[in-house]
Amino acid sequence: MEISVITTKDLIKAYKLYAKPIDRLKEILFRKQYHSEFVALDRMNIEVKKGETFGIIGENGAGKSTLLKIISRTLKQTEGEVHIQGRVSSLLELGSGFHPEFTGMENIYFYGSLLGISPLEMKQKVEDIISFADIGEHINYPLKTYSSGMYVRLAFSVAMAVDPDILIVDEALSVGDLYFQKKSAEKILSFKEQGKTIVFCSHSMYYINRLCDRVIWLKNGQITMEGAPHAVTQAYETYQLKKEAVNRSETAEATPAVESASPSLVLIRNIIVTPFPTVRCGDDLNIEMEIMARDNAQSYQVAAILKRIDGIDIIGIGTKEYEPLHGSRRVNLCFPSLQLKEGTFFVELYAMDEQFVHIFDMKASNPFTIPKESVELGFINIPYRWTI
Amino acid sequence: MSNLLNLVKYFLIKDIKSRYAGSGLGIFWTIILPVFQILLYWFVFSTVMRVRPYSNAQIPYVYFLLSTFFFWLSIPEGILKSGTVIIENSELVKKVPFPTIALPISVTLSAYLHNMIGVVFFVLIYAVSGLSHLHLFLIIPVLVLQLLFSVGAGMFMAAIVSYVRDLQQVMGYVLQGMFFLSPVLYSLDAIPERFRSLAYLNPVTIYIESYHTIIFQKAFPGLWHVVGMVCISALFLFLGIKVFNRLNEGFADIL
C-alpha cells in the first residue's frame, strides 16, 4: 500500500586503503592487490516509506555518514542495490556548491542547475528563498562579501526551496545564527507535516524521539536494532552509558552529557535540587532552575526528564499547558511525595521554543540518591490493588 | 541534456570569473603573454634559425606563426586544465550529486574562448594587411572538430589524472613534444622526407595542416584531411565519454 522511496538491498561499502599513493598506481599496472579493505557498510537492508521520518543513530564511525552519502548519491556503493524515488536534497554540507565570486542570486541558479532544476523553475522560487533567508539587498553582491551567518541562511533556504521529495538531515536540525536556528527547525518540521520523507541522523536522542517514526541503530556498519524510536534510543543510551561507565573507571572524570557549543538565546544557568544529595521515598522533590534570556521578546517553554542514572526515562514533562515564558526568571518544578524507592536519579532540563522543537539549552542536574529502605523489589511505587 | 548545457554555462562563467578575480591587469594578460611568446618564437625561428615556412611561397614568418598559434594554445590549455578540474572541485564532487562531466567540458570551452581573443587578433592583422578572403570562414568547421577532439581528450584526462595524479606532470612534457612535432612552428616540408609521415602520428598535425591550407592556399582541406579530422575527433570524443563515465563513480572515493 505504502510506497517505498528508499530501498537498499545487501548494500556494501568498502573503502580501499592504500599505504602509499603509489600503491594505487601499482595496483592498476600490475593487477595485484595492494590495498587493505575497510568495510563501512556491511550488507545493509533498509526500506524507507513515503512520508516517513527515518532516524539513524550510532556512534562516530558506525557508518552513518557513509549511508547518508550513498542515499544522497554522492558516493557509489561497492556492492548491492540502492533504489531512490524522487528528488533528494541534502543538508549534509550546506553551501558546498556555492561559488564565492558569484552573487547570491547567481548562486541560487547555479545550485539549482547542479541539482538538475531548470532556471525557469528556479525563477519561481527565488522570491521565497530571498525572503526566507532574509538576505535583502545583499542578494546582488558576491558571496565572498557575506557573513558566515548569511551564507548559511542562503544555503539552507536554497536547499529547502528546491522542493525535494526526500530531505537528508545530518545533525543540523537548526542552523545559522540564533534567530535563524528556530526558523530552520520549524521549516524542517513543516516539511514533515507536508507528508514528505526525511532521513535524519543525529546524536540528540531528543530530536530522534521527537521527529522520527522509525529508527535504526548502526554499529560497525550493521544494523544492531531497528524499530520504534523510543525503544531504539533507550537501548542505545543504555549501551552508551555502560560504555561510558567502563571508560570512566579508566579515566578520571566524565564531562557533563551535553554542553551547548555557542551561547544561546535562552540559557539554563543554575539547577538546585532539594533535598540533596539524599532524597527519601515520599519526600517532595524540588527542582529550581534559573533561566537567563538574552532577549525579552523571545518566548520559550521548559521541559524536564526525570531519568535513572543508567539512562532509563522515568517521566518526561513540559510546560505546554502554560503560556510561553518570557525573560530571565526562575522556574520551579516539584514532584510531591516522590514515589521512587531506590537508585540514583537526575533531571535533564530543557529550555525550548513553543513547539518544543528547537532546544535553546539543555542541562542535567546533579544526581541524587534514594536509599533502599524496604525489602521490596523494584524502584518505583505505583498504585495497585489485588482482587482476591 | 538541457540541464547539462545549463550546468556547463554556469561552470564556464565560474571559470572565467575566477580567472580574472583579483588580477590587476585582467584580460590584458590574455593578450600580453601570448604576444610575448610569439615575439620570442619569431625572433628565434625567423632571425636566428632562418626557418622558411613554405619553400615556394612568400609569407612573412610571423603570419605563419600567428595563423595556428592560438588554435594550438587552446589544446594544451584545455587538456591541462581538464586534468586538474575534478581535483580542484573535489568539495563539490564529493558533496553534491551532479553530472561531473560538465567540469571538463566547461574548462575546455573556457580555454578555447580565452584563446579566441588571439585568433580575432590575428584575423584583424591579416585583414588590415589586405590578405583576408572568404575561405577564412572554413576555419569555423575545422575549429569545431578540433574542439570536439579537445573535449574528448579533456574528459579522458580529467578521469585518469584524478586517479593517477603524476600523469599531469607527464602530460606537460607530452604536450611540449606535440608542440614541437606539429607544424605550428614550421611547415611539414621542412621535415626530411623519410620522417615526414611520422608527423601524422601526432593527432594535432592534421588540424594545423588544415588551417594552413585554408588560410594560405585559400583552398578546402583535402578529402583525407577532412576524413582524418572527423575520425580523430569522433574517436577521442567517444573514448573520453566512455572512460569518464566508467571512472566517475569512484571520484568521491579517491578525492
Side-chain angles (χ1 to χ4, degrees):
Chain A
M1 189 180 82
E2 282 178 317
I3 322 155
S4 299
V5 286
I6 302 169
T7 321
T8 72
K9 204 175 155 215
D10 292 329
L11 179 67
I12 294 178
K13 179 69 197 178
Y15 291 100
K16 291 180 178 177
L17 301 175
Y18 294 90
K20 286 171 288 177
I22 192 79
D23 286 351
R24 193 187 296 277
L25 184 63
K26 282 199 315 210
E27 189 167 292
I28 297 171
L29 292 177
F30 307 130
R31 295 179 179 280
K32 208 177 132 192
Q33 192 168 318
Y34 279 94
H35 67 261
S36 56
E37 244 174 34
F38 169 71
V39 180
L41 294 178
D42 191 5
R43 288 184 302 274
M44 183 138 315
N45 292 296
I46 61 170
E47 204 179 348
V48 181
K49 300 261 190 283
K50 190 174 168 22
E52 194 175 34
T53 302
F54 186 76
I56 303 172
I57 58 173
E59 290 161 295
N60 292 327
K64 297 187 305 261
S65 322
T66 304
L67 183 58
L68 290 187
K69 278 183 191 161
I70 289 176
I71 294 173
S72 64
R73 291 194 175 119
T74 51
L75 205 60
K76 181 89 183 168
Q77 72 271 27
T78 316
E79 270 174 55
E81 290 170 35
V82 181
H83 299 287
I84 290 157
Q85 273 176 30
R87 182 184 285 165
V88 180
S89 181
S90 129
L91 303 184
L92 287 183
E93 306 287 346
L94 279 179
S96 52
F98 283 1
H99 186 59
E101 300 290 339
F102 282 177
T103 65
M105 188 69 96
E106 284 170 321
N107 268 304
I108 293 175
Y109 285 103
F110 177 51
Y111 191 79
S113 59
L114 278 175
L115 295 187
I117 300 166
S118 69
L120 212 69
E121 199 187 333
M122 224 42 209
K123 202 171 178 177
Q124 298 159 355
K125 305 175 191 293
V126 164
E127 282 295 308
D128 286 346
I129 294 173
I130 298 171
S131 71
F132 191 79
D134 200 12
I135 298 271
E137 276 300 296
H138 290 281
I139 199 71
N140 294 316
Y141 290 93
L143 208 68
K144 59 183 177 187
T145 64
Y146 282 33
S147 69
S148 61
M150 282 156 69
Y151 189 95
V152 174
R153 286 195 325 250
L154 183 64
F156 179 85
S157 310
V158 175
M160 294 302 289
V162 300
D163 193 25
D165 304 301
I166 302 168
L167 186 69
I168 297 182
V169 187
D170 186 9
E171 209 61 63
L173 193 59
S174 42
V175 296
D177 46 46
L178 300 171
Y179 288 97
F180 195 72
Q181 283 179 1
K182 192 171 155 257
K183 213 168 145 188
S184 60
E186 276 166 8
K187 182 84 180 173
I188 293 175
L189 207 69
S190 78
F191 192 82
K192 178 178 162 68
E193 280 156 11
Q194 286 164 36
K196 308 247 184 160
T197 313
I198 302 177
V199 177
F200 179 44
C201 169
S202 180
H203 283 109
S204 160
M205 294 307 124
Y206 175 79
Y207 282 145
I208 292 281
N209 285 329
R210 172 80 172 76
L211 293 178
C212 295
D213 303 310
R214 201 154 54 87
V215 177
I216 58 169
W217 168 13
L218 295 189
K219 202 159 93 185
N220 302 325
Q222 285 177 321
I223 299 174
T224 303
M225 195 175 167
E226 177 171 0
H230 285 91
V232 181
T233 53
Q234 193 80 76
Y236 175 66
E237 280 193 314
T238 310
Y239 160 82
Q240 272 206 316
L241 283 162
K242 260 187 208 152
K243 214 175 134 181
E244 231 169 64
V246 173
N247 288 338
R248 203 176 304 163
S249 61
E250 287 163 3
T251 56
E253 205 163 294
T255 45
V258 176
E259 198 73 60
S260 62
S262 62
S264 185
L265 283 176
V266 182
L267 288 168
I268 301 172
R269 296 311 295 263
N270 209 1
I271 305 169
I272 304 163
V273 178
T274 40
F276 189 80
T278 307
V279 183
R280 294 181 56 207
C281 182
D283 280 353
D284 290 353
L285 179 70
N286 281 290
I287 295 124
E288 189 179 352
M289 68 195 101
E290 193 185 322
I291 295 169
M292 198 186 82
R294 295 177 169 221
D295 182 349
N296 282 333
Q298 182 65 54
S299 53
Y300 59 90
Q301 295 276 27
V302 179
I305 307 173
L306 176 61
K307 288 186 157 196
R308 200 165 78 173
I309 199 72
D310 59 357
I312 289 176
D313 298 339
I314 313 293
I315 185 173
I317 44 196
T319 52
K320 54 180 178 290
E321 278 99 43
Y322 296 84
E323 286 292 305
L325 308 170
H326 292 273
S328 299
R329 57 173 297 160
R330 283 165 186 277
V331 174
N332 196 68
L333 169 67
C334 177
F335 292 100
S337 179
L338 186 69
Q339 292 302 309
L340 291 174
K341 298 199 297 183
E342 75 157 302
T344 304
F345 302 86
F346 66 99
V347 181
E348 260 175 22
L349 292 170
Y350 293 82
M352 311 188 75
D353 70 319
E354 307 99 290
Q355 275 83 36
F356 290 93
V357 175
H358 175 62
I359 301 176
F360 291 118
D361 198 12
M362 186 277 244
K363 259 201 176 63
S365 74
N366 289 322
F368 52 89
T369 306
I370 300 170
K372 192 174 169 73
E373 289 182 345
S374 72
V375 290
E376 290 163 37
L377 288 174
F379 69 91
I380 189 163
N381 269 340
I382 47 175
Y384 63 90
R385 180 171 47 225
W386 294 103
T387 306
I388 301 174
Chain B
M1 193 61 195
S2 77
N3 179 50
L4 183 65
L5 289 180
N6 202 8
L7 205 50
V8 167
K9 184 186 94 188
Y10 278 108
F11 278 120
L12 191 59
I13 298 170
K14 179 175 159 169
D15 196 73
I16 292 167
K17 281 206 174 178
S18 32
R19 189 196 289 259
Y20 296 114
S23 87
L25 286 176
I27 205 151
F28 286 101
W29 287 119
T30 311
I31 300 184
I32 293 167
L33 294 178
V35 163
F36 177 75
Q37 245 181 317
I38 286 169
L39 290 176
L40 190 69
Y41 285 123
W42 187 15
F43 176 74
V44 171
F45 283 90
S46 83
T47 312
V48 181
M49 303 180 72
R50 294 170 194 281
V51 173
R52 293 254 61 86
Y54 288 106
S55 34
N56 53 0
Q58 292 300 314
I59 315 160
Y61 183 71
V62 70
Y63 283 161
F64 180 80
L65 192 57
L66 278 172
S67 69
T68 54
F69 191 69
F70 291 100
F71 291 118
W72 156 260
L73 272 190
S74 321
I75 293 177
E77 198 182 318
I79 289 181
L80 290 176
K81 283 183 72 176
S82 295
T84 51
V85 72
I86 300 290
I87 299 165
E88 274 167 15
N89 288 284
S90 62
E91 285 304 292
L92 200 57
V93 173
K94 277 192 288 187
K95 289 163 187 171
V96 186
F98 71 98
T100 39
I101 205 159
L103 288 170
I105 298 177
S106 61
V107 290
T108 306
L109 279 176
S110 162
Y112 272 74
L113 272 183
H114 186 65
N115 283 300
M116 285 312 111
I117 297 166
V119 171
V120 171
F121 175 69
F122 163 70
V123 171
L124 283 179
I125 291 179
Y126 207 61
V128 167
S129 319
L131 293 167
S132 62
H133 50 84
L134 279 177
H135 278 91
L136 283 181
F137 283 104
L138 286 174
I139 286 175
I140 295 166
V142 178
L143 179 63
V144 170
L145 285 172
Q146 188 201 320
L147 177 65
L148 293 179
F149 156 75
S150 262
V151 166
M155 289 170 179
F156 185 81
M157 279 297 283
I160 297 283
V161 171
S162 306
Y163 284 83
V164 191
R165 299 191 186 191
D166 323 43
L167 275 183
Q168 182 74 359
Q169 266 75 45
V170 176
M171 204 58 202
Y173 289 100
V174 170
L175 286 166
Q176 199 177 23
M178 281 168 73
F179 174 58
F180 283 103
L181 296 177
S182 72
V184 176
L185 293 175
Y186 48 82
S187 75
L188 276 187
D189 21 328
I191 306 177
E193 188 129 18
R194 59 197 164 116
F195 293 123
R196 207 167 289 164
S197 54
L198 286 179
Y200 285 98
L201 288 181
N202 181 354
V204 175
T205 301
I206 199 161
Y207 299 92
I208 301 294
E209 277 268 86
S210 302
Y211 291 124
H212 284 155
T213 310
I214 293 166
I215 295 168
F216 298 121
Q217 295 170 12
K218 302 180 188 172
F220 282 88
L223 177 65
W224 285 113
H225 276 70
V226 175
V227 172
M229 284 190 290
V230 170
C231 287
I232 292 175
S233 297
L235 181 74
F236 271 80
L237 196 60
F238 175 76
L239 274 180
I241 294 174
K242 202 90 179 152
V243 169
F244 192 92
N245 282 340
R246 182 74 187 275
L247 294 181
N248 70 356
E249 289 180 350
F251 285 161
D253 287 333
I254 52 163
L255 292 172

